[in-house]
Structure formats: structure tokens, C-alpha cells
Amino acid sequence: FFHFYAGICSALKLTVPSHTIHGIAGQPLHLTVDYNFSAAASEIQIIWLFERPQSNPKYLLGSVNQTVVPDLEYQHKFTLIPPNASLMINPLHINDEGNYIVKVNVRGNGTIAASQKIQVAVDVPVTKPTVHTEPSSGVVEYVGNITLKCTVGKGTRVVYQWMKNGKLLHDSPNYTFS
């Protein structure tokens, strides 16, 4: 189930599934783009650009009809198979987070153009957590405190929850969280 957003210039309609897409680092990510137009076309040009905040857009690749012209620096990472305007990023890296801009130009009697921007957020899978106890023996009889520290080596948007016997623990006189 997708919501489609359209950028319409004259008779050219360009759609993307969402303006924000989450991908997983190390996995491929497919940016799906559809376009249609009502005029007769002699040439169809597709251009993909990438921009990070406070930087100029970089050319990734483009095509005219069936001929793809990649930026040589990125030719092994990005794939476009015209006339499809969708972009394949493989593999996705944390540095690939940013805005991807697709522009389609159609030449017939005149030239019509449309563009869309897709923000890509890259998620790093959370590694298995480790728990350390202080004191390290983990034994506290009758009086005294024990501190449990949970850490993860890697991961984006990490949320910690402490549970006892399958039930979520909350702040109380017995438990303090930081």
C-alpha cells in the first residue's frame, strides 16, 4: 500500500512511492519511479542526482532513450535500466543518506520536464546487546545496589527497554534508569 505523490509539468506525470524511504546498510535499495505523458516523444531523458545538506547535487547517472551514461565514480553502485526511471542502489552505505533527485525530460513538439525528490534514510541494524553488572559478581544480599549497563556496538535509532519476567520496568523506589 503506497501513497503516490505526483509532480506535474504540462502533460508529464512523475510519481514516487514516498518522499522518504528507509533502507538498510549493506542491502540493496530500489527507488521506484513511474512516469507517463500524453504527447508523442522522440527522446526521453532520465537524470539522477544526489545531494547532502549544505552541498551541491552530484550527478549519478542519466540516460537518453536506451543509452545510460553513468558517472564513472559511481558506475558500479547505481543501476538504471531505461525506459524505466527507477534507481537501484547496491549496496546501500551510511554515506548514501540524503536526497535523490530524479528528472525526466520528454522531447516531442517541445520539451516537457518533471522532477521529484526522495529523501533516503539509512538504518544500521542493531547488534546484539551486552549487559555488564557492577559489582561484577552480580550478587547483592539484602542491602546494597547493583548496576546493570546495556550497550550495543552498532545501530541507528536504538531504544533501550528493561524488562523483568516479561514485563516492562518503570522508575520506582527500587529501579532507577539513566
Side-chain angles (χ1 to χ4, degrees):
F1 174 70
F2 287 115
H3 292 285
F4 283 90
Y5 303 90
I8 300 171
C9 279
S10 183
L12 175 61
K13 186 176 171 187
L14 183 60
T15 56
V16 296
S18 175
H19 288 300
T20 304
I21 294 178
H22 285 263
I24 299 171
Q27 300 291 316
L29 180 66
H30 193 236
L31 302 180
T32 305
V33 174
D34 289 311
Y35 65 93
N36 56 60
F37 49 91
S38 54
S42 59
E43 284 185 306
I44 299 171
Q45 182 181 42
I46 301 163
I47 300 167
W48 276 96
L49 304 168
F50 171 67
E51 68 176 2
R52 287 195 187 91
Q54 287 82 50
S55 71
N56 292 325
K58 290 182 184 176
Y59 174 86
L60 299 177
L61 47 66
S63 70
V64 174
N65 294 338
Q66 302 296 316
T67 307
V68 176
V69 181
D71 182 301
L72 295 179
E73 185 181 351
Y74 307 117
Q75 67 179 342
H76 300 295
K77 185 176 184 79
F78 299 99
T79 308
L80 175 72
I81 302 170
N84 188 332
S86 301
L87 182 72
M88 175 65 80
I89 307 169
N90 190 16
L92 191 64
H93 190 269
I94 195 76
N95 293 336
D96 297 326
E97 195 163 87
N99 293 319
Y100 289 78
I101 301 158
V102 59
K103 184 179 183 203
V104 176
N105 299 315
V106 177
R107 181 182 290 159
N109 287 340
T111 301
I112 53 177
S115 66
Q116 286 282 3
K117 186 182 284 192
I118 302 170
Q119 182 182 14
V120 171
V122 180
D123 296 324
V124 175
V126 177
T127 56
K128 186 175 179 179
T130 56
V131 177
H132 303 284
T133 60
E134 294 173 15
S136 58
S137 68
V139 176
V140 180
E141 290 188 37
Y142 306 114
V143 261
N145 294 325
I146 187 167
T147 301
L148 303 174
K149 290 185 180 179
C150 180
T151 57
V152 293
K154 284 196 293 186
T156 48
R157 297 175 256 289
V158 178
V159 176
Y160 294 91
Q161 290 184 323
W162 285 95
M163 302 180 89
K164 181 178 178 185
N165 298 328
K167 293 193 173 127
L168 195 59
L169 290 174
H170 300 285
D171 274 337
S172 73
N174 295 329
Y175 305 108
T176 307
F177 300 94
S178 62

